[in-house]
Structure formats: C-alpha cells, structure tokens
Amino acid sequence: MKRKVELLIPAGSMEGLKTAIHYGADAIYMGGEAFSLRANAKNFSLEKMKEAVDYAHERGVKVYVTANILAHNADLLPMREYFSELKEVGMDAVLIADPGAFLLAKEMMPGVEIHISTQANNTNYETFRFWHQLGVKRVVCARELSLAEIKEIRAHIPEEMEIEAFVHGAMCMSYSGRCLLSSFFTGRDANQGACTHPCRWKYSLMEEKRPGEYYPVFENDRGTYIFNSKDLNMISHIPDLIEAGVDSLKIEGRMKTELYVATVARTYKVAIQDYLEDPKKYEAKLPIYEEEIRKCTFRDYSTGFYYGRPDEEDQIYGNNSYSAGAIYLGTVEKVEGDYAFLQQKNKFSVGESISIMKPNGDNLDTEVLSMEDADTGESLESCPHSKQNLKIRFSVLPEAQDVLRRIEDK
C-alpha cells in the first residue's frame, strides 16, 4: 500500500486557516467554541466552522475539528447537544481523547470519522488496535514515542489504519500534555482547554523551616526554567518520519500568528515534496529548510523523544523568551489594480524593502512605494499603529493571502 503523506496545520482563526491553505496544508485542525484544548484561541462558532469547512473543501483541503477535553460529568449533556449540532458542519473528522466523549460522538454523529488525540496516551500498538476495533481510522501518537516505536506500531496495526504524529512546535512537560500545574496554581484546567502555561514560569526553592528565604533552582548554569521543554523541530528528519510509517505530519500552534503558520506550512510542504520527488534534492536543500524554519517565533529546538529519551541538553532551555528571524508585517487581504490591501501587524515605512513569502518557497523583495489609510484615504509615510487598514503600492505586487515580513539581521 503506497501511503500518502499529509501535512496537517493548525488554524486558530479564519485568517489562520486561509494562510495555512495558501501555504500548502493538506488538512487543517481547528477548535470550536466548546470542548477544545485551546480555549484561549479565537476558535470557531458553528457558523464560522461551516464557512471554514466550505472554504477548505473548495480548495481540496480536509478539516478536522478538535473536541479533545477530558470531560467531567457536567460536560456530558452539553457535549451531547454540541455534537448533535456539529454533525451538520461537514468536517472530515472529529478529534477525541476521552472515551466518554468517544461514545457520545459515535451516538450523536454516526458516520463521522473519529481520530484519537495524543491526550489519550497512545503509546503501544495494542492501544492502536483497540481503537481500530471500535471503528477509529486514525490515532495520534503520544509525544513520548520514539521513531523506532512508531515503526513497530506500524508493523502491528491494520494497513489501512493511519498514524498521526507531531513534528513541530511547543512540547508539554507532562505526559502527552496531561498537565496539572495550571489547575493547581490558577484553577484553570489544562485538560479542559484553559492552560496558563505555568511550565514557562520561573521558580525558586524555599526550605520549610526557613520561610521567606528563597534559593534559586538551577538545572545548570543556563537558568531556572526547570519544567520547560524546547520546541520540537523535525524539518531535518522528514525521511525518518515517512519511513517509520507516519501518515500525517502535525504542526502545533493554534494560537500562533499567521507568520508562524505560513513559515511552518510552507517549509514542511516544500521539504516533503522535495523528498518524495528526489531524496538527494531534499538533502541538498536541508540548510535552506533549517534557516527558513527559524524565521518565525520559536524557542530552542530539539527532536523530542523521536531518537530516544531526551537529556537535559535536549529539553531544557536557558530562558523563556522567544527568538524570531523575521517580523510579521501583515497578510494581504485583497489586490485591486496596482494596490494591495492589508491590516498592518508591525510598523513599516514608505521606501522600506520587505519580503513577500510565496507558497512555492520563493521570497520576493519589494519596496513600499506609497501607503495610505484604507479607511480615511490619508497618505502615510509609515504605519506606527497596529491593526491599521492600509492600501499600499509596491514595486513587486503581492497576491491575496501572501504574508509580508521583515527579515531580522542575525
């Protein structure tokens, strides 16, 4: 059986969904306004979800909806009602973690494909076989699996069953993301979509009999961020993922900017296509992929658990700040004649040279020739105020959905 390789991209908003599709997503995953593990993302109402599904399907892209909270008793009746409405949206699959939610989805949405979330701790082939016997087509690997373990799972499950695995983005410090810190410290349950990311906080140690005397906690001489993990980055290991039998390469980041979405979607899409076309082409372009993937916000990178248990060098980073190789300026909403229209995200000026990201991997330099406020018609020399609606003339005209960025000096 010749397996297709799917690139699965997050969408936290309609703008993010359009950007992901423009830059090569084969499938999108998104959350509704309830029962999703990213409650702080913009997410989609049922009406907006239907609009998003129609937009994606018109362009040959699949849509998966997340409903992967770990449900409490109080969630069950609202979830039943939600599923009865969700089935009308027309998505390609729903993503579930909780067995009770699974039973409700089967009852209320018969015929809708169900995928099992990484939150269900899927760490062995018998678990995959268990879900397959219940009618599940796809299971998402636990983050703790190595590529050798995934390859063994592939060998022991039905050929038609699909394996999905995270390949890029933030990594939880807890088992398959089942973290209790947020609930303990703030009362906001990470397993119900309200994580406050306390693993990113800075901690000190206090001895019980010495109240008020704080001692810094050092993992090593690089810092005190003891719960953190580096971001996952597998762009240089596409062949190993495909050879292990992964069907869907999944990117994390439903709360990230359109620049992040564009950068990871385009880089992984081009890398996958290059490898499938010619492995030598992929190898020759590795430095390009590695450089490009650093032009969006990221922490230090690692390969997670894929090549064995990570040690402290693989996981712990020295501070909780992000790096960025580029600044997000905006996404082109439409083009009319010689003018591009967009909502500005960061400041830029007339006369400045900026970069247009093209879906095929090209980056085009263009000069800002003129700029005006699209709402008032006022001529501008720069746009210092975030979210200004702009009408701009460029030396090289971008297309609708192209992301504009400024490359930062190293």
Side-chain angles (χ1 to χ4, degrees), residues 339-342 350 370-381 388-393:
Y339 293 91
F341 292 77
L342 60 95
V350 173
S370 68
M371 182 189 306
E372 63 182 74
D373 188 306
D375 298 322
T376 67
E378 176 188 0
S379 180
L380 304 170
E381 288 300 313
Q388 278 186 285
N389 294 314
L390 302 175
K391 177 182 178 182
I392 305 176
R393 190 162 61 90

Short mmCIF file of all heavy atoms in Angstrom, two decimals, residues 339-342 350 370-381 388-393:
data_model
loop_
_atom_site.label_atom_id
_atom_site.label_comp_id
_atom_site.label_asym_id
_atom_site.label_seq_id
_atom_site.Cartn_x
_atom_site.Cartn_y
_atom_site.Cartn_z
N TYR A 339 -2.73 48.05 -6.27
CA TYR A 339 -2.70 48.22 -4.82
C TYR A 339 -3.03 46.92 -4.08
O TYR A 339 -3.91 46.15 -4.49
CB TYR A 339 -3.68 49.31 -4.39
CG TYR A 339 -3.27 50.69 -4.87
CD1 TYR A 339 -3.73 51.18 -6.10
CD2 TYR A 339 -2.43 51.49 -4.10
CE1 TYR A 339 -3.36 52.44 -6.54
CE2 TYR A 339 -2.05 52.76 -4.54
CZ TYR A 339 -2.51 53.22 -5.76
OH TYR A 339 -2.14 54.47 -6.20
N ALA A 340 -2.33 46.73 -2.99
CA ALA A 340 -2.60 45.62 -2.08
C ALA A 340 -3.21 46.18 -0.80
O ALA A 340 -2.80 47.24 -0.31
CB ALA A 340 -1.31 44.86 -1.77
N PHE A 341 -4.17 45.46 -0.24
CA PHE A 341 -4.85 45.90 0.98
C PHE A 341 -4.53 44.89 2.09
O PHE A 341 -4.60 43.68 1.88
CB PHE A 341 -6.36 45.97 0.75
CG PHE A 341 -6.79 47.05 -0.20
CD1 PHE A 341 -6.63 46.90 -1.58
CD2 PHE A 341 -7.34 48.23 0.28
CE1 PHE A 341 -7.03 47.89 -2.46
CE2 PHE A 341 -7.74 49.23 -0.60
CZ PHE A 341 -7.58 49.07 -1.96
N LEU A 342 -4.22 45.43 3.26
CA LEU A 342 -3.91 44.56 4.38
C LEU A 342 -4.09 45.30 5.70
O LEU A 342 -4.14 46.53 5.74
CB LEU A 342 -2.47 44.03 4.29
CG LEU A 342 -1.33 45.05 4.29
CD1 LEU A 342 -0.77 45.26 5.69
CD2 LEU A 342 -0.22 44.60 3.36
N VAL A 350 7.22 53.77 4.05
CA VAL A 350 7.45 54.02 2.62
C VAL A 350 8.95 54.06 2.38
O VAL A 350 9.72 54.63 3.17
CB VAL A 350 6.79 55.35 2.19
CG1 VAL A 350 7.18 55.69 0.75
CG2 VAL A 350 5.28 55.27 2.34
N SER A 370 4.20 53.58 -1.91
CA SER A 370 3.27 54.54 -1.30
C SER A 370 2.35 53.80 -0.35
O SER A 370 2.16 52.59 -0.46
CB SER A 370 2.46 55.28 -2.37
OG SER A 370 1.55 54.40 -3.03
N MET A 371 1.73 54.57 0.57
CA MET A 371 0.90 53.95 1.58
C MET A 371 -0.18 54.95 2.00
O MET A 371 0.09 56.15 2.14
CB MET A 371 1.77 53.59 2.80
CG MET A 371 1.04 52.90 3.93
SD MET A 371 2.11 52.75 5.42
CE MET A 371 3.57 51.97 4.76
N GLU A 372 -1.39 54.45 2.18
CA GLU A 372 -2.45 55.31 2.71
C GLU A 372 -3.37 54.51 3.61
O GLU A 372 -3.43 53.27 3.53
CB GLU A 372 -3.23 55.97 1.59
CG GLU A 372 -3.99 55.04 0.67
CD GLU A 372 -4.73 55.78 -0.45
OE1 GLU A 372 -4.04 56.23 -1.39
OE2 GLU A 372 -5.97 55.87 -0.38
N ASP A 373 -4.04 55.23 4.48
CA ASP A 373 -5.03 54.63 5.35
C ASP A 373 -6.23 54.22 4.50
O ASP A 373 -6.86 55.07 3.86
CB ASP A 373 -5.45 55.62 6.44
CG ASP A 373 -6.33 54.97 7.50
OD1 ASP A 373 -7.36 54.38 7.12
OD2 ASP A 373 -6.02 55.10 8.69
N ALA A 374 -6.54 52.92 4.46
CA ALA A 374 -7.61 52.43 3.59
C ALA A 374 -8.98 52.92 4.02
O ALA A 374 -9.91 52.95 3.22
CB ALA A 374 -7.59 50.90 3.54
N ASP A 375 -9.11 53.32 5.28
CA ASP A 375 -10.40 53.78 5.79
C ASP A 375 -10.63 55.26 5.55
O ASP A 375 -11.77 55.67 5.25
CB ASP A 375 -10.50 53.48 7.29
CG ASP A 375 -10.44 51.99 7.59
OD1 ASP A 375 -11.03 51.21 6.81
OD2 ASP A 375 -9.81 51.62 8.60
N THR A 376 -9.57 56.07 5.66
CA THR A 376 -9.73 57.52 5.54
C THR A 376 -9.16 58.11 4.27
O THR A 376 -9.48 59.24 3.91
CB THR A 376 -9.04 58.21 6.73
OG1 THR A 376 -7.61 58.01 6.64
CG2 THR A 376 -9.54 57.66 8.06
N GLY A 377 -8.27 57.34 3.58
CA GLY A 377 -7.62 57.87 2.39
C GLY A 377 -6.42 58.74 2.69
O GLY A 377 -5.77 59.27 1.76
N GLU A 378 -6.07 58.90 3.97
CA GLU A 378 -4.94 59.74 4.35
C GLU A 378 -3.63 59.13 3.88
O GLU A 378 -3.37 57.94 4.07
CB GLU A 378 -4.91 59.90 5.87
CG GLU A 378 -3.72 60.69 6.39
CD GLU A 378 -3.62 60.66 7.90
OE1 GLU A 378 -4.48 60.03 8.55
OE2 GLU A 378 -2.65 61.26 8.43
N SER A 379 -2.77 59.95 3.26
CA SER A 379 -1.45 59.50 2.82
C SER A 379 -0.55 59.32 4.04
O SER A 379 -0.55 60.14 4.96
CB SER A 379 -0.84 60.51 1.86
OG SER A 379 0.44 60.08 1.43
N LEU A 380 0.22 58.22 4.07
CA LEU A 380 1.06 57.90 5.22
C LEU A 380 2.50 57.67 4.77
O LEU A 380 2.75 57.17 3.66
CB LEU A 380 0.56 56.63 5.92
CG LEU A 380 -0.89 56.62 6.41
CD1 LEU A 380 -1.26 55.20 6.85
CD2 LEU A 380 -1.08 57.59 7.56
N GLU A 381 3.44 58.01 5.64
CA GLU A 381 4.84 57.68 5.42
C GLU A 381 5.23 56.40 6.16
O GLU A 381 6.18 55.72 5.80
CB GLU A 381 5.75 58.84 5.86
CG GLU A 381 5.69 60.05 4.94
CD GLU A 381 6.11 59.71 3.51
OE1 GLU A 381 7.15 59.04 3.33
OE2 GLU A 381 5.37 60.09 2.58
N GLN A 388 -3.85 48.97 11.69
CA GLN A 388 -4.31 49.94 10.69
C GLN A 388 -4.64 49.20 9.40
O GLN A 388 -3.92 48.30 8.97
CB GLN A 388 -3.22 50.97 10.39
CG GLN A 388 -3.15 52.11 11.38
CD GLN A 388 -2.15 53.16 10.94
OE1 GLN A 388 -0.95 52.96 11.06
NE2 GLN A 388 -2.64 54.27 10.45
N ASN A 389 -5.72 49.59 8.74
CA ASN A 389 -6.07 49.05 7.43
C ASN A 389 -5.39 49.91 6.37
O ASN A 389 -5.60 51.12 6.31
CB ASN A 389 -7.58 49.06 7.24
CG ASN A 389 -8.28 48.11 8.19
OD1 ASN A 389 -7.86 46.97 8.36
ND2 ASN A 389 -9.34 48.57 8.83
N LEU A 390 -4.56 49.27 5.55
CA LEU A 390 -3.69 50.00 4.64
C LEU A 390 -3.96 49.65 3.18
O LEU A 390 -4.34 48.53 2.86
CB LEU A 390 -2.22 49.69 4.95
CG LEU A 390 -1.74 50.00 6.37
CD1 LEU A 390 -0.32 49.50 6.56
CD2 LEU A 390 -1.84 51.49 6.66
N LYS A 391 -3.73 50.65 2.34
CA LYS A 391 -3.74 50.49 0.88
C LYS A 391 -2.34 50.84 0.41
O LYS A 391 -1.88 51.97 0.59
CB LYS A 391 -4.79 51.42 0.26
CG LYS A 391 -4.85 51.39 -1.26
CD LYS A 391 -5.89 52.39 -1.76
CE LYS A 391 -5.96 52.43 -3.29
NZ LYS A 391 -6.95 53.43 -3.78
N ILE A 392 -1.64 49.88 -0.19
CA ILE A 392 -0.22 50.04 -0.45
C ILE A 392 0.12 49.73 -1.91
O ILE A 392 -0.42 48.79 -2.51
CB ILE A 392 0.61 49.12 0.45
CG1 ILE A 392 0.25 49.36 1.92
CG2 ILE A 392 2.10 49.33 0.25
CD1 ILE A 392 0.96 48.42 2.88
N ARG A 393 1.03 50.54 -2.46
CA ARG A 393 1.60 50.26 -3.79
C ARG A 393 3.03 49.78 -3.60
O ARG A 393 3.83 50.43 -2.91
CB ARG A 393 1.55 51.51 -4.66
CG ARG A 393 1.90 51.26 -6.14
CD ARG A 393 1.40 52.41 -7.01
NE ARG A 393 2.02 53.67 -6.62
CZ ARG A 393 3.16 54.14 -7.15
NH1 ARG A 393 3.80 53.44 -8.06
NH2 ARG A 393 3.64 55.30 -6.75
#
